[in-house]
Amino acid sequence: MAGSDAQFQLVTFQLGEELYGVDIMDVKEIVKTSAVRPIPNAPYYVEGIVNLRSEILPIISLHKRFHLKKLETGEEDNEYEGGFLILNIDDSKMGIVIDRIARVVTINHDDIKAPPQMLSGIGTEYIRGVVRQDSQYLIILDIRKLFNTKELQKIIEMK
């Protein structure tokens, strides 16, 4: 979300019951769930690694990182589409586990509100803001603040 443009686009997704969004410019692609290979002695929130077209990527669980419940789905819920959002963070790629991809939305900068002090599970330091979307709120994540420099370096070195 750079510059003084009046609008920008977000890729939105569900984690548990909440709707989140990240800047489309930080998203490389969205992939269906594939086999994740665990890594011994990895931080608790690292699911493991995947081989995506001959590129080894670490996979992060924001559910574990922020103690969020996974989305509960029933048999009648055919459109459940979990997977990974592949992000570019400072020239490094990693995947985050998502419960369901939503859609790409265009947001006006003026519509973004400061996050409430306590927002179900994820601390406000990781949130750029909140936007009212239909009947719920869209929480805009700041992916560069999800991990401190040491954590990010450790995750990158796992490959």
Side-chain angles (χ1 to χ4, degrees):
M1 295 190 296
S4 60
D5 297 336
Q7 294 184 326
F8 60 96
Q9 291 186 308
L10 297 172
V11 174
T12 63
F13 56 93
Q14 233 175 316
L15 289 177
E17 297 299 320
E18 299 292 336
L19 186 64
Y20 294 90
V22 294
D23 191 325
I24 197 168
M25 300 307 289
D26 294 325
V27 177
K28 182 179 182 317
E29 65 184 299
I30 301 160
V31 296
K32 295 264 191 213
T33 304
S34 61
V36 177
R37 180 173 224 161
I39 302 172
N41 301 319
Y44 69 95
Y45 52 84
V46 175
E47 289 287 310
I49 55 174
V50 296
N51 185 338
L52 185 64
R53 291 184 292 286
S54 300
E55 189 173 13
I56 306 298
L57 302 174
I59 301 296
I60 308 300
S61 170
L62 295 183
H63 296 93
K64 291 179 182 177
R65 174 89 166 130
F66 298 114
H67 310 289
L68 301 171
K69 290 184 179 178
K70 290 195 178 230
L71 182 65
E72 291 186 30
T73 58
E75 285 181 32
E76 73 285 346
D77 196 357
N78 311 5
E79 54 185 73
Y80 174 73
E81 294 207 22
F84 308 125
L85 207 56
I86 307 300
L87 303 174
N88 278 319
I89 303 177
D90 301 328
D91 296 325
S92 297
K93 291 181 196 151
M94 72 174 61
I96 59 171
V97 178
I98 59 173
D99 289 334
R100 178 181 285 144
I101 192 67
R103 59 184 186 204
V104 174
V105 296
T106 301
I107 301 293
N108 290 316
H109 278 284
D110 296 341
D111 294 338
I112 300 174
K113 307 292 181 224
Q117 283 302 77
M118 193 52 208
L119 200 56
S120 66
I122 293 185
T124 56
E125 66 268 28
Y126 308 113
I127 298 172
R128 279 205 162 134
V130 178
V131 175
R132 182 99 173 139
Q133 279 272 268
D134 302 323
S135 62
Q136 67 184 106
Y137 287 96
L138 169 61
I139 303 164
I140 304 169
L141 294 178
D142 186 340
I143 62 166
R144 283 169 182 73
K145 291 184 179 175
L146 289 178
F147 308 99
N148 66 38
T149 310
K150 282 185 178 180
E151 288 174 316
L152 194 55
Q153 192 59 41
K154 187 172 183 176
I155 292 167
I156 292 165
E157 289 171 359
M158 284 183 205
K159 305 189 295 183

